[in-house]
Amino acid sequence: MAAPSVTTNPLEPLTGDEIVAAVAAVREARDLGERVRFVSVELREPSKDALAGGRPPREAFLVVLTNRDGMTHEAVVSLDEGRLVDWRDVPGVHPAIHIDEFDDAGNAIVADPRFREALAKRGIEDPDMVMVDPWSIGCFEDGDRRLARGLAWLRADLEGDNGYSRPIGGLVGVVDLNTMEVVRIDDHGLLPVPSGEGGDYRPGALSPPRTDVRAYEITQPDGPSFTLDGHQLAWQGWTLDVGFTPREGLVLHRIAHAGRPVCHRASIAELVIPYGDPNPTVAFKNAFDIGEYGLGPLVNALQLGCDCLGEIRYLDAWVNDSRGGAVHLPNAICIHEEDTGILWKHFDYRSGRTDVARARRLVVSCIATVGNYEYGFYWYLGQDGGIGFEAKLTGVLHTAGVPEGDPGPHATEVAPGVAASVHQHFFCARLDMDVDGTRNTVVEIEALPEPRSAHNPDGHAFSTDRRVLDRESAARRSVHPPLARRWRVESSERRNRLGEPTAYELIPGEGIEPMALPDSEFRRRARFLDHHLWVTPFAPDERYPAGEYPNQSPGGDGLERWTKADRPLQDEDVVLWYTFGSHHVPRLEDWPVMPVVRCGFELRPVGFFDRNPALDVPPPAAHCHPD
Ligand code: NI
């Protein structure tokens, strides 16, 4: 059965029909039975060469788990022909955990008689009010079984009460995800369940709404300044394709300015959250939210006037459920413009003349809810040629029960008996750069303060040092704010009007360092955290920094393994892997729901344009001027 594909853009994500057709082709060719999970069904993205050569074949890539033997399989389906064209076993790995499996695992724990007995010991009689968050297990258990661990909370109502305000201390259920059997219940000791008082963030729950917030409307009477044709977006000289995958969620493809390529593919390819609390109930918490779960199915349906303001265009997305069905996510991706203040300005005090242009940016965003936390993924394109990424972190702290007044040194008590552990969030951006062509060279740029000499008699001279990162071993780098260290991606082909290679620079954001020890269980699986920057030559199967299957992995995969080859990087098709993040010591102000915290980075043109590319942005509309 060939999928009724009407798609003409080869980078358009799979439609619901294509997901269903891909699953049907696998089922037709393989005797899978019922005990099977479709972990992910996604577009098999065409190579750069295939994209350049007309209409590439339309293919799906699937990860399939057969529960009876725990074997992982990778499949490729030709959607043009409606048949399975490649099938291989991947022994010794545990694929990502689908959200459906978490639902099933949580229900299995709540239904378990041992768990109910432990609840009864705590005076909890109604198991329907108990919510369980299953978590990936890391590498703290027997590696042969595919497991999840569930922590529990008590809700006061089923209408959106903040269950995290009532952690059921000391209680953990361990589930085998292949059989949905509850392996055991760990009980680390009784603690009173907190009252939950002050934990409700719903409007009016704690105080009446403030009355001094006046209306604020964005009107764009002529409509937005961008055009959206299918998944192809054009705005202020920029063109790009908006993609979506089950693992990364939002992906940007073929970002170009005035037809000149800048970045072939940009995504956040991993997001890890190591907690720093050895309390036995929560000690296992270190999550790979992208590699262990996949963000696609967790993306919110966005609403006008709430998540974005102004003239919005939305893109829907399709993901697979674990049984191979297609799930529609309406309004998954939001596209809109934002005013960001002034773009450039000068007041010529001699003549009294002022010239000013207002800045606008194009925002392409989505928000994923991973259990308690919300992650907003915001890509920005500027009129000045800049590209930015910002993560917005919000939602509810993940809590644990503690004795009142005694959270220990690794957590903040945010309400009596409710503790939130210290933790960090690390985002790894994968940037397949194509600055004016496929062949690029990465150069580290930093300030060079000069020693006092006859040329520097007053001691304030500094210049700029540049060093080519010519091999993978030389391109494992860390941020260094004292010397304004940046990484420049130079075109091997094009020169600007002063004869220098055209280039974009990666401007690092908050360069946090992992607190987990280098030989910790967590760091073994997340070796990419050893450096803020890695550079590799493009290889189609090098997609995620901790490897394809980080769930319960013993480590050793991903950037750590690939870069051992120490491949040359000069004048190559380079991929930048850049890690930034947020160091989170919970505050009282983060409770009961956390105000947004931001982190991110920029890609800034450096000699890519021959002059300020935004001179032609017209002056502000008349209503800005007093006359
Ligand atoms: Ni946090």
Side-chain angles (χ1 to χ4, degrees):
M1 177 177 73
S5 175
V6 290
T7 305
T8 52
N9 180 347
L11 290 169
E12 203 144 300
L14 294 188
T15 63
D17 286 345
E18 288 175 322
I19 289 171
V20 169
V23 169
V26 171
R27 282 201 179 277
E28 195 177 296
R30 308 294 309 187
D31 180 21
L32 294 175
E34 284 311 301
R35 291 196 48 222
V36 62
R37 298 271 186 179
F38 288 84
V39 178
S40 55
V41 184
E42 66 186 292
L43 174 70
R44 187 162 186 256
E45 292 172 15
S47 68
K48 287 178 195 176
D49 286 347
L51 286 169
R55 187 186 179 282
R58 185 90 174 151
E59 292 177 326
F61 176 73
L62 301 87
V63 177
V64 182
L65 170 69
T66 42
N67 292 123
R68 63 173 183 278
D69 56 5
M71 180 60 79
T72 302
H73 316 271
E74 292 180 350
V76 178
V77 168
S78 162
L79 292 165
D80 300 323
E81 298 166 26
R83 68 182 182 88
L84 181 69
V85 293
D86 191 37
W87 176 266
R88 63 188 66 192
D89 293 349
V90 190
V93 303
H94 295 293
I97 307 168
H98 198 282
I99 182 70
D100 296 352
E101 293 180 289
F102 275 148
D103 289 343
D104 294 349
N107 293 337
I109 290 173
V110 174
D112 186 84
R114 292 162 293 178
F115 186 74
R116 293 198 170 196
E117 203 177 299
L119 290 179
K121 268 195 224 163
R122 290 162 167 81
I124 300 167
E125 301 298 338
D126 184 1
D128 289 343
M129 301 307 287
V130 173
M131 66 179 208
V132 171
D133 273 9
W135 275 58
S136 57
I137 205 147
C139 44
F140 299 101
E141 295 271 342
D142 164 19
D144 289 341
R145 297 183 86 170
R146 188 159 168 272
L147 299 170
R149 226 188 274 239
L151 293 166
W153 293 262
L154 184 63
R155 286 181 291 190
D157 65 51
L158 300 177
E159 278 82 53
D161 165 61
N162 179 9
Y164 295 108
S165 64
R166 283 174 228 89
I168 302 174
L171 191 55
V172 186
V174 181
V175 181
D176 183 319
L177 291 169
N178 281 335
T179 60
M180 286 298 160
E181 170 204 350
V182 178
V183 175
R184 61 170 203 273
I185 302 294
D186 293 336
D187 195 335
H188 299 287
L190 298 186
L191 280 168
V193 178
S195 70
E197 189 265 320
D200 195 342
Y201 51 82
R202 289 174 290 185
L206 281 175
S207 54
R210 57 180 79 172
T211 55
D212 54 353
V213 183
R214 307 278 181 260
Y216 184 94
E217 301 288 345
I218 308 280
T219 56
Q220 293 177 264
D222 305 324
S225 302
F226 59 82
T227 58
L228 184 65
D229 176 12
H231 283 67
Q232 202 161 47
L233 185 55
W235 179 79
Q236 301 285 293
W238 290 106
T239 50
L240 65 152
D241 304 280
V242 182
F244 191 87
T245 73
R247 183 143 162 179
E248 302 146 293
L250 184 56
V251 177
L252 304 187
H253 300 280
R254 295 195 290 198
I255 307 169
H257 195 280
R260 296 165 63 191
V262 175
C263 180
H264 183 71
R265 191 184 192 281
S267 72
I268 301 302
E270 191 53 275
L271 163 56
V272 295
I273 304 97
Y275 281 72
D277 191 343
N279 167 353
T281 310
V282 296
F284 67 91
K285 289 202 307 186
N286 51 73
F288 287 54
D289 279 357
I290 292 180
E292 289 177 339
Y293 309 145
L295 293 181
L298 308 179
V299 163
N300 299 174
L302 301 176
Q303 286 178 6
L304 184 62
C306 299
D307 294 313
C308 306
L309 284 182
E311 281 293 318
I312 317 272
R313 298 293 178 269
Y314 292 109
L315 285 169
D316 293 358
W318 287 90
V319 292
N320 62 289
D321 67 28
S322 72
R323 299 303 176 194
V327 178
H328 183 216
L329 303 175
N331 293 357
I333 298 167
C334 174
I335 299 163
H336 78 300
E337 295 169 278
E338 285 176 357
D339 180 293
T340 56
I342 57 168
L343 174 59
W344 55 263
K345 174 172 181 168
H346 186 58
F347 165 60
D348 179 4
Y349 77 91
R350 291 179 179 84
S351 69
R353 180 187 168 91
T354 293
D355 285 281
V356 61
R358 283 200 74 77
R360 216 185 272 195
R361 66 183 175 194
L362 182 67
V363 186
V364 184
S365 66
C366 75
I367 300 176
T369 300
V370 188
N372 57 303
Y373 240 86
E374 263 71 19
Y375 292 101
F377 295 80
Y378 291 77
W379 290 94
Y380 302 127
L381 298 176
Q383 292 165 310
D384 60 356
I387 301 172
F389 175 81
E390 187 171 61
K392 296 184 187 177
L393 290 69
T394 179
V396 181
L397 293 166
H398 208 249
T399 56
V402 290
E404 272 194 43
D406 185 19
H410 311 98
T412 303
E413 194 176 19
V414 293
V418 182
S421 306
V422 294
H423 61 275
Q424 300 181 293
H425 305 256
F426 292 95
F427 297 79
C428 182
R430 179 182 181 278
L431 304 165
D432 178 354
M433 300 300 292
D434 268 11
V435 178
D436 273 327
T438 301
R439 291 188 309 121
N440 289 169
T441 292
V442 184
V443 182
E444 182 166 278
I445 305 288
E446 58 187 25
L448 186 65
E450 291 175 14
R452 201 177 284 267
S453 70
H455 302 291
N456 183 22
D458 302 316
H460 55 236
F462 70 94
S463 56
T464 298
D465 194 28
R466 46 176 287 138
R467 189 166 73 88
V468 171
L469 305 181
D470 60 345
R471 306 193 77 83
E472 288 179 301
S473 58
R476 298 180 188 130
R477 306 297 297 159
S478 287
V479 299
H480 192 53
L483 291 179
R485 182 177 291 170
R486 287 153 187 199
W487 298 291
R488 189 175 291 181
V489 183
E490 296 183 344
S491 172
S492 304
E493 285 153 30
R494 187 155 172 158
R495 298 282 180 274
N496 60 34
R497 75 179 170 119
L498 294 175
E500 297 291 325
T502 58
Y504 264 76
E505 242 172 41
L506 193 157
I507 315 289
E510 196 172 343
I512 62 168
E513 295 284 342
M515 295 295 110
L517 297 176
D519 63 349
S520 59
E521 302 294 298
F522 166 69
R523 288 280 293 276
R524 281 213 316 256
R525 292 195 299 150
R527 276 283 159 246
F528 67 94
L529 296 184
D530 291 2
H531 310 281
H532 294 116
L533 180 82
W534 304 64
V535 186
T536 56
F538 173 83
D541 54 351
E542 296 180 4
R543 306 199 296 167
Y544 309 109
E548 203 77 20
Y549 299 101
N551 185 28
Q552 289 183 244
S553 152
D557 204 0
L559 286 166
E560 176 190 11
R561 178 166 68 82
W562 310 324
T563 60
K564 280 186 181 144
D566 201 15
R567 295 165 291 188
L569 296 173
Q570 236 170 321
D571 301 322
E572 295 285 344
D573 182 4
V574 295
V575 178
L576 270 52
W577 307 76
Y578 168 62
T579 297
F580 57 97
S582 176
H583 182 92
H584 195 178
V585 178
R587 308 170 296 161
L588 291 186
E589 290 84 352
D590 292 338
W591 188 254
V593 66
M594 196 177 108
V596 164
V597 166
R598 297 168 162 83
C599 57
F601 65 94
E602 274 180 74
L603 288 168
R604 195 178 290 169
V606 181
F608 185 83
F609 299 100
D610 287 332
R611 56 185 61 76
N612 180 347
L615 292 176
D616 56 347
V617 172
H623 69 258
C624 290
H625 295 287
D627 52 353

